[in-house]
Amino acid sequence: MKAVRLLLVAVMALVLTLLRVTGAGAVAPSGSPSCGGYPPGSLGATMSVSTTTPFPGETITVTGQHFKANENITLVYDTGSTLADVHVDANGRFSTGVRIPAVTGNHMILVSGDHSVCPPDPIQVTVQSSGGAGGGLSSTGVNVLTGLAIAIALLAGGVLLTRSGRRRSRSHH
């Protein structure tokens, strides 16, 4: 029992030593920004979008957090067009709607301008080539006439089975 206690104390001492070496108190090497702990970007600025598969002309919501309080940033599309100029609030957050340019395929939304020490990773969006904003009604894949034809056939089959059952019942009596 004494050996188990000694082993536990040794393991705990090793864990505490490792935490001191790799813990939150560690400082980034000179010349590189301190962007938070593990996992990477956990305390650095982050962005998200309401959808990663928008349609051309669709307005999506871009949100961000962990930015420098009250800073001004610019959201840019990888084609070089500006999507929005944004003022980050006192808590380091923002939320804004941006209109997706009419260029289909894979694209990136980036931050440029006066941004945090640790800029967020760009967000990839895949702009769809059809449907969406201004594309008319979406198809749900349901054909009403086929459903109606099946319903009528089932009703007719039920009526026929009911009548043939009554005939058999009368003939046995």
Side-chain angles (χ1 to χ4, degrees), residues 49-133:
V49 291
S50 57
T51 181
T52 57
T53 55
F55 292 97
E58 182 178 354
T59 298
I60 65 171
T61 302
V62 180
T63 57
Q65 60 184 0
H66 304 298
F67 282 78
K68 190 170 56 176
N70 299 311
E71 70 178 321
N72 294 311
I73 60 171
T74 302
L75 300 177
V76 181
Y77 209 51
D78 63 1
T79 59
S81 59
T82 297
L83 296 174
D85 290 315
V86 179
H87 180 76
V88 177
D89 70 16
N91 296 316
R93 297 181 179 161
F94 74 88
S95 180
T96 189
V98 298
R99 189 164 188 250
I100 298 297
V103 181
T104 60
N106 294 328
H107 295 282
M108 296 288 199
I109 297 175
L110 309 123
V111 173
S112 88
D114 176 27
H115 55 74
S116 301
V117 173
C118 297
D121 291 332
I123 296 178
Q124 180 174 332
V125 292
T126 303
V127 181
Q128 305 298 307
S129 60
S130 63

Side-chain angles (χ1 to χ4, degrees), residues 157-169:
V159 169
L160 289 175
L161 288 173
T162 303
R163 286 189 179 194
S164 68
R166 286 183 185 164
R167 287 183 191 153
R168 284 188 192 151
S169 172

